[in-house]
Amino acid sequence: MLEQRIQQQFFDSADLKYAAAEVLSKPIADAVNAVVGCITAGGKVLACGNGGSASDAQHFAAEFIGRFERERPGLAAIALTTDSSILTAIGNDYDFNVVFAKQVQALGAPGDVLLAISTSGNSGNVLAAVEAAHAKDMTVVALTGRGGGKLREMLGETDVHVCVPHERTARIQEVHILALHCLCDAVDLQLLGEQENT
């Protein structure tokens, strides 16, 4: 019984990935173009999210600054989820809903990209970060699920929405990490060209 349940998790995840491949390939490609344009112009990617999405933001930044699968110079990315002094100071002195927005206001510049990750699309501090990014003339790449929530309504024409067609948080997060890996792979492809012997 337990093994069957575990197998079903794998099957459900695989089914969603197959279904999402066609739906998400264009928005992920659009995200790649936005990020490559930003990086090649000397900009940076600021990434934020809560809980598992915070981990995804940090995972993404690590693969940009370090490497993904190929050797290359580091790419400029900052996870806004990592500095406990900043997060607790802003949360204490202001409000937890502005912990990312205050960092976007301080660190963001026109032409930068905000990678906003929220499975529901309704995380208050992520929505505030999107608002702050728009005020800075930044492009937003939003990773959501469940129809996109309030975040969908905030996105402009030049923003990109990668919305996983599912309701369950675990399944959405599994596709988010795949989407981020696709993003990293395609950015490397655009910057470095095809890899020999792949």
Side-chain angles (χ1 to χ4, degrees), residues 140-169:
V140 175
V141 172
L143 268 61
T144 70
R146 299 181 192 156
K150 296 175 184 172
L151 185 45
R152 175 189 284 285
E153 307 304 317
M154 297 179 69
L155 298 175
E157 286 184 20
T158 60
D159 296 327
V160 180
H161 191 197
V162 179
C163 182
V164 179
H166 209 272
E167 294 296 313
R168 189 170 169 193
T169 298

mmCIF file of all heavy atoms in Angstrom, residues 140-169:
data_model
loop_
_atom_site.group_PDB
_atom_site.id
_atom_site.type_symbol
_atom_site.label_atom_id
_atom_site.label_comp_id
_atom_site.label_asym_id
_atom_site.label_seq_id
_atom_site.Cartn_x
_atom_site.Cartn_y
_atom_site.Cartn_z
ATOM 1 N N VAL A 140 9.391 41.403 -14.958
ATOM 2 C CA VAL A 140 9.039 40.360 -13.992
ATOM 3 C C VAL A 140 8.849 39.038 -14.723
ATOM 4 O O VAL A 140 8.132 38.963 -15.715
ATOM 5 C CB VAL A 140 7.749 40.722 -13.220
ATOM 6 C CG1 VAL A 140 7.327 39.574 -12.297
ATOM 7 C CG2 VAL A 140 7.948 42.007 -12.421
ATOM 8 N N VAL A 141 9.525 38.011 -14.219
ATOM 9 C CA VAL A 141 9.276 36.633 -14.636
ATOM 10 C C VAL A 141 8.612 35.957 -13.441
ATOM 11 O O VAL A 141 9.227 35.798 -12.389
ATOM 12 C CB VAL A 141 10.574 35.896 -15.031
ATOM 13 C CG1 VAL A 141 10.283 34.411 -15.278
ATOM 14 C CG2 VAL A 141 11.207 36.544 -16.262
ATOM 15 N N ALA A 142 7.339 35.618 -13.583
ATOM 16 C CA ALA A 142 6.567 35.040 -12.477
ATOM 17 C C ALA A 142 6.396 33.545 -12.682
ATOM 18 O O ALA A 142 5.984 33.098 -13.758
ATOM 19 C CB ALA A 142 5.202 35.716 -12.389
ATOM 20 N N LEU A 143 6.709 32.783 -11.641
ATOM 21 C CA LEU A 143 6.441 31.349 -11.622
ATOM 22 C C LEU A 143 5.320 31.107 -10.629
ATOM 23 O O LEU A 143 5.468 31.393 -9.432
ATOM 24 C CB LEU A 143 7.682 30.559 -11.191
ATOM 25 C CG LEU A 143 8.628 30.071 -12.291
ATOM 26 C CD1 LEU A 143 9.186 31.250 -13.072
ATOM 27 C CD2 LEU A 143 9.747 29.235 -11.696
ATOM 28 N N THR A 144 4.182 30.608 -11.123
ATOM 29 C CA THR A 144 3.021 30.395 -10.268
ATOM 30 C C THR A 144 2.370 29.049 -10.605
ATOM 31 O O THR A 144 2.874 28.289 -11.434
ATOM 32 C CB THR A 144 1.958 31.493 -10.465
ATOM 33 O OG1 THR A 144 1.359 31.338 -11.759
ATOM 34 C CG2 THR A 144 2.536 32.895 -10.331
ATOM 35 N N GLY A 145 1.237 28.808 -9.984
ATOM 36 C CA GLY A 145 0.351 27.701 -10.298
ATOM 37 C C GLY A 145 -1.061 28.167 -10.005
ATOM 38 O O GLY A 145 -1.300 29.348 -9.777
ATOM 39 N N ARG A 146 -2.023 27.229 -9.995
ATOM 40 C CA ARG A 146 -3.400 27.545 -9.594
ATOM 41 C C ARG A 146 -4.006 28.739 -10.332
ATOM 42 O O ARG A 146 -4.728 29.555 -9.744
ATOM 43 C CB ARG A 146 -3.463 27.800 -8.090
ATOM 44 C CG ARG A 146 -3.033 26.616 -7.254
ATOM 45 C CD ARG A 146 -3.147 26.907 -5.781
ATOM 46 N NE ARG A 146 -2.458 25.875 -5.024
ATOM 47 C CZ ARG A 146 -1.986 26.034 -3.804
ATOM 48 N NH1 ARG A 146 -2.116 27.192 -3.184
ATOM 49 N NH2 ARG A 146 -1.370 25.049 -3.192
ATOM 50 N N GLY A 147 -3.675 28.904 -11.585
ATOM 51 C CA GLY A 147 -4.248 30.000 -12.356
ATOM 52 C C GLY A 147 -3.531 31.323 -12.215
ATOM 53 O O GLY A 147 -3.855 32.277 -12.906
ATOM 54 N N GLY A 148 -2.576 31.411 -11.306
ATOM 55 C CA GLY A 148 -1.769 32.622 -11.191
ATOM 56 C C GLY A 148 -2.191 33.597 -10.118
ATOM 57 O O GLY A 148 -1.457 34.543 -9.814
ATOM 58 N N GLY A 149 -3.384 33.418 -9.543
ATOM 59 C CA GLY A 149 -3.833 34.275 -8.448
ATOM 60 C C GLY A 149 -3.783 35.754 -8.781
ATOM 61 O O GLY A 149 -3.937 36.166 -9.936
ATOM 62 N N LYS A 150 -3.537 36.573 -7.761
ATOM 63 C CA LYS A 150 -3.470 38.036 -7.933
ATOM 64 C C LYS A 150 -2.271 38.463 -8.771
ATOM 65 O O LYS A 150 -2.297 39.507 -9.427
ATOM 66 C CB LYS A 150 -3.406 38.718 -6.566
ATOM 67 C CG LYS A 150 -4.646 38.507 -5.717
ATOM 68 C CD LYS A 150 -4.450 39.103 -4.320
ATOM 69 C CE LYS A 150 -5.655 38.807 -3.431
ATOM 70 N NZ LYS A 150 -5.424 39.209 -2.031
ATOM 71 N N LEU A 151 -1.229 37.648 -8.738
ATOM 72 C CA LEU A 151 -0.015 37.994 -9.467
ATOM 73 C C LEU A 151 -0.278 38.092 -10.963
ATOM 74 O O LEU A 151 0.235 38.988 -11.645
ATOM 75 C CB LEU A 151 1.071 36.945 -9.171
ATOM 76 C CG LEU A 151 2.472 37.160 -9.735
ATOM 77 C CD1 LEU A 151 2.962 38.581 -9.548
ATOM 78 C CD2 LEU A 151 3.429 36.171 -9.099
ATOM 79 N N ARG A 152 -1.112 37.216 -11.481
ATOM 80 C CA ARG A 152 -1.443 37.239 -12.910
ATOM 81 C C ARG A 152 -1.969 38.610 -13.321
ATOM 82 O O ARG A 152 -1.617 39.128 -14.392
ATOM 83 C CB ARG A 152 -2.505 36.173 -13.219
ATOM 84 C CG ARG A 152 -2.999 36.215 -14.663
ATOM 85 C CD ARG A 152 -4.202 35.306 -14.895
ATOM 86 N NE ARG A 152 -3.892 33.906 -14.970
ATOM 87 C CZ ARG A 152 -3.310 33.307 -16.008
ATOM 88 N NH1 ARG A 152 -2.936 34.017 -17.050
ATOM 89 N NH2 ARG A 152 -3.096 32.018 -15.996
ATOM 90 N N GLU A 153 -2.817 39.199 -12.469
ATOM 91 C CA GLU A 153 -3.443 40.487 -12.804
ATOM 92 C C GLU A 153 -2.444 41.641 -12.803
ATOM 93 O O GLU A 153 -2.692 42.677 -13.425
ATOM 94 C CB GLU A 153 -4.563 40.798 -11.799
ATOM 95 C CG GLU A 153 -5.600 39.701 -11.639
ATOM 96 C CD GLU A 153 -6.244 39.308 -12.952
ATOM 97 O OE1 GLU A 153 -6.572 40.205 -13.737
ATOM 98 O OE2 GLU A 153 -6.396 38.095 -13.193
ATOM 99 N N MET A 154 -1.314 41.464 -12.115
ATOM 100 C CA MET A 154 -0.335 42.545 -11.990
ATOM 101 C C MET A 154 0.657 42.598 -13.144
ATOM 102 O O MET A 154 1.372 43.581 -13.299
ATOM 103 C CB MET A 154 0.457 42.381 -10.680
ATOM 104 C CG MET A 154 -0.369 42.478 -9.428
ATOM 105 S SD MET A 154 0.647 42.247 -7.950
ATOM 106 C CE MET A 154 1.626 43.754 -7.965
ATOM 107 N N LEU A 155 0.722 41.540 -13.924
ATOM 108 C CA LEU A 155 1.762 41.448 -14.945
ATOM 109 C C LEU A 155 1.451 42.312 -16.154
ATOM 110 O O LEU A 155 0.314 42.390 -16.607
ATOM 111 C CB LEU A 155 1.955 39.990 -15.365
ATOM 112 C CG LEU A 155 2.415 39.060 -14.236
ATOM 113 C CD1 LEU A 155 2.463 37.619 -14.723
ATOM 114 C CD2 LEU A 155 3.753 39.497 -13.670
ATOM 115 N N GLY A 156 2.491 42.943 -16.676
ATOM 116 C CA GLY A 156 2.356 43.788 -17.856
ATOM 117 C C GLY A 156 2.746 43.042 -19.116
ATOM 118 O O GLY A 156 3.134 41.862 -19.074
ATOM 119 N N GLU A 157 2.689 43.720 -20.247
ATOM 120 C CA GLU A 157 2.945 43.097 -21.547
ATOM 121 C C GLU A 157 4.358 42.570 -21.683
ATOM 122 O O GLU A 157 4.593 41.565 -22.375
ATOM 123 C CB GLU A 157 2.667 44.102 -22.672
ATOM 124 C CG GLU A 157 1.188 44.353 -22.916
ATOM 125 C CD GLU A 157 0.957 45.279 -24.103
ATOM 126 O OE1 GLU A 157 1.870 45.418 -24.945
ATOM 127 O OE2 GLU A 157 -0.135 45.858 -24.177
ATOM 128 N N THR A 158 5.313 43.228 -21.067
ATOM 129 C CA THR A 158 6.706 42.794 -21.195
ATOM 130 C C THR A 158 7.102 41.779 -20.123
ATOM 131 O O THR A 158 8.229 41.283 -20.134
ATOM 132 C CB THR A 158 7.666 43.998 -21.133
ATOM 133 O OG1 THR A 158 7.488 44.668 -19.876
ATOM 134 C CG2 THR A 158 7.392 44.975 -22.273
ATOM 135 N N ASP A 159 6.202 41.478 -19.195
ATOM 136 C CA ASP A 159 6.474 40.470 -18.175
ATOM 137 C C ASP A 159 6.189 39.080 -18.724
ATOM 138 O O ASP A 159 5.580 38.921 -19.782
ATOM 139 C CB ASP A 159 5.613 40.719 -16.930
ATOM 140 C CG ASP A 159 5.941 42.036 -16.241
ATOM 141 O OD1 ASP A 159 7.122 42.448 -16.261
ATOM 142 O OD2 ASP A 159 5.015 42.656 -15.683
ATOM 143 N N VAL A 160 6.639 38.061 -18.018
ATOM 144 C CA VAL A 160 6.470 36.672 -18.440
ATOM 145 C C VAL A 160 5.810 35.889 -17.316
ATOM 146 O O VAL A 160 6.205 36.000 -16.156
ATOM 147 C CB VAL A 160 7.830 36.025 -18.785
ATOM 148 C CG1 VAL A 160 7.631 34.576 -19.230
ATOM 149 C CG2 VAL A 160 8.565 36.822 -19.859
ATOM 150 N N HIS A 161 4.807 35.076 -17.663
ATOM 151 C CA HIS A 161 4.086 34.281 -16.668
ATOM 152 C C HIS A 161 4.231 32.797 -16.989
ATOM 153 O O HIS A 161 3.733 32.334 -18.012
ATOM 154 C CB HIS A 161 2.610 34.681 -16.641
ATOM 155 C CG HIS A 161 1.864 34.106 -15.496
ATOM 156 N ND1 HIS A 161 0.494 34.047 -15.454
ATOM 157 C CD2 HIS A 161 2.275 33.552 -14.331
ATOM 158 C CE1 HIS A 161 0.109 33.496 -14.321
ATOM 159 N NE2 HIS A 161 1.172 33.166 -13.631
ATOM 160 N N VAL A 162 4.906 32.074 -16.104
ATOM 161 C CA VAL A 162 5.044 30.623 -16.214
ATOM 162 C C VAL A 162 4.105 30.037 -15.163
ATOM 163 O O VAL A 162 4.447 29.970 -13.977
ATOM 164 C CB VAL A 162 6.502 30.183 -15.978
ATOM 165 C CG1 VAL A 162 6.625 28.654 -16.072
ATOM 166 C CG2 VAL A 162 7.445 30.871 -16.976
ATOM 167 N N CYS A 163 2.913 29.667 -15.599
ATOM 168 C CA CYS A 163 1.862 29.229 -14.679
ATOM 169 C C CYS A 163 1.627 27.728 -14.834
ATOM 170 O O CYS A 163 1.099 27.279 -15.856
ATOM 171 C CB CYS A 163 0.576 30.009 -14.939
ATOM 172 S SG CYS A 163 -0.760 29.589 -13.808
ATOM 173 N N VAL A 164 1.998 26.968 -13.822
ATOM 174 C CA VAL A 164 1.845 25.508 -13.864
ATOM 175 C C VAL A 164 0.362 25.161 -13.766
ATOM 176 O O VAL A 164 -0.322 25.610 -12.832
ATOM 177 C CB VAL A 164 2.623 24.850 -12.711
ATOM 178 C CG1 VAL A 164 2.440 23.332 -12.743
ATOM 179 C CG2 VAL A 164 4.107 25.226 -12.776
ATOM 180 N N PRO A 165 -0.150 24.354 -14.708
ATOM 181 C CA PRO A 165 -1.578 24.040 -14.714
ATOM 182 C C PRO A 165 -1.937 22.957 -13.698
ATOM 183 O O PRO A 165 -2.250 21.822 -14.056
ATOM 184 C CB PRO A 165 -1.818 23.567 -16.158
ATOM 185 C CG PRO A 165 -0.503 22.963 -16.576
ATOM 186 C CD PRO A 165 0.557 23.778 -15.875
ATOM 187 N N HIS A 166 -1.877 23.306 -12.416
ATOM 188 C CA HIS A 166 -2.188 22.343 -11.361
ATOM 189 C C HIS A 166 -2.571 23.091 -10.094
ATOM 190 O O HIS A 166 -2.282 24.277 -9.948
ATOM 191 C CB HIS A 166 -0.979 21.442 -11.093
ATOM 192 C CG HIS A 166 -1.344 20.075 -10.595
ATOM 193 N ND1 HIS A 166 -1.527 19.796 -9.259
ATOM 194 C CD2 HIS A 166 -1.556 18.917 -11.250
ATOM 195 C CE1 HIS A 166 -1.839 18.510 -9.115
ATOM 196 N NE2 HIS A 166 -1.867 17.952 -10.310
ATOM 197 N N GLU A 167 -3.218 22.398 -9.169
ATOM 198 C CA GLU A 167 -3.670 22.987 -7.907
ATOM 199 C C GLU A 167 -2.801 22.595 -6.720
ATOM 200 O O GLU A 167 -2.782 23.301 -5.712
ATOM 201 C CB GLU A 167 -5.121 22.547 -7.616
ATOM 202 C CG GLU A 167 -6.143 23.079 -8.608
ATOM 203 C CD GLU A 167 -6.256 24.589 -8.569
ATOM 204 O OE1 GLU A 167 -6.344 25.166 -7.465
ATOM 205 O OE2 GLU A 167 -6.233 25.210 -9.649
ATOM 206 N N ARG A 168 -2.097 21.502 -6.811
ATOM 207 C CA ARG A 168 -1.382 20.963 -5.655
ATOM 208 C C ARG A 168 0.016 21.559 -5.540
ATOM 209 O O ARG A 168 0.802 21.521 -6.489
ATOM 210 C CB ARG A 168 -1.308 19.434 -5.781
ATOM 211 C CG ARG A 168 -0.792 18.756 -4.552
ATOM 212 C CD ARG A 168 -0.969 17.249 -4.638
ATOM 213 N NE ARG A 168 -0.241 16.591 -3.571
ATOM 214 C CZ ARG A 168 0.005 15.301 -3.527
ATOM 215 N NH1 ARG A 168 -0.456 14.510 -4.481
ATOM 216 N NH2 ARG A 168 0.695 14.783 -2.541
ATOM 217 N N THR A 169 0.340 22.090 -4.365
ATOM 218 C CA THR A 169 1.606 22.801 -4.159
ATOM 219 C C THR A 169 2.813 21.947 -4.513
ATOM 220 O O THR A 169 3.725 22.409 -5.205
ATOM 221 C CB THR A 169 1.712 23.294 -2.699
ATOM 222 O OG1 THR A 169 0.640 24.215 -2.458
ATOM 223 C CG2 THR A 169 3.035 23.987 -2.436
#
